[in-house]
Amino acid sequence: MEVSKGFWVNTTHDWSGVVDADHLASIRQAPEKFAPGGPWHLLLEVLAYAADEAFTRGGGRCLVTVHPDGSLSVADDGRGTDTRTDEHGQIVKKPVMASKDLRFFDHPQAETLQDGHPRRGMSVVAALSEWLVHTNRRLNGAWTQRYEHGIPATDLVPVEPDGTTGTLVHFRPIGPVRSLGVLAEGQLKRLATTGPHLDVQVSDRSNAGSSLPGDDAG
């Protein structure tokens, strides 16, 4: 049944807005605050959502890939980002990329990531990336959407279902973030300890495509 967005309950994000431009601009103005340590922190922000989903489902897997162009991707096997049909018959995806996470952004004491810095939410990753592509597969359909500096550059574009569910977040941090640090092999190996419910595998294609399976981490 199609229901007006006005009746949708806000849990992690505000369904009433698609893009919070002021919120995204405030993040872009302070990359050293919102991405301490550089790309490593943004990667941990994305993985935190995969870990949440794995915890909810009692277990899950994800693949982290380091690409030759400096971009990173995280693919999980969860249920996919919540996507609904509004009263006009339009597909609406929860605005996780372009609006604040109500649980964390204004409450930095709520949760810390593996690097010891506050979790702020996925909008930090989108705002501090030259581009980000979010591919979302759910039982009721599959879509992809591109963002540039946190702003949607495309609408939701349907993609062919493949019988799976989950999300793929592929992003390239902006130059000022990349200058704050680089990913180290030791950090990638530590991803195996992201959470007890999430099995993390790593494919490092930045140097001749070496692979770092999570269960090899020490």
Side-chain angles (χ1 to χ4, degrees), residues 13-99:
H13 295 77
D14 186 350
W15 283 97
S16 66
V18 176
V19 179
D20 187 338
D22 291 340
H23 167 68
L24 296 169
S26 69
I27 295 171
R28 289 195 297 268
Q29 291 168 3
E32 69 288 343
K33 174 181 178 180
F34 294 109
W40 173 239
H41 183 81
L42 298 187
L43 178 59
L44 294 179
E45 289 276 16
V46 180
L47 277 168
Y49 285 86
D52 287 346
E53 179 69 4
F55 175 79
T56 299
R57 298 170 58 238
R61 294 175 175 271
C62 78
L63 173 66
V64 173
T65 303
V66 184
H67 299 273
D69 65 352
S71 65
L72 304 163
S73 63
V74 178
D76 69 49
D77 64 350
R79 296 166 296 177
T81 305
D82 196 356
T83 307
R84 306 178 182 182
T85 304
D86 67 13
E87 69 273 27
H88 305 294
Q90 298 297 311
I91 299 296
V92 180
K93 182 182 67 181
K94 184 186 288 189
V96 297
M97 298 296 173
S99 68

Side-chain angles (χ1 to χ4, degrees), residues 108-127:
Q109 72 284 358
E111 182 176 325
T112 57
L113 298 174
Q114 193 182 88
D115 60 1
H117 294 292
R119 180 180 180 183
R120 304 279 190 174
M122 197 75 82
S123 61
V124 168
V125 183

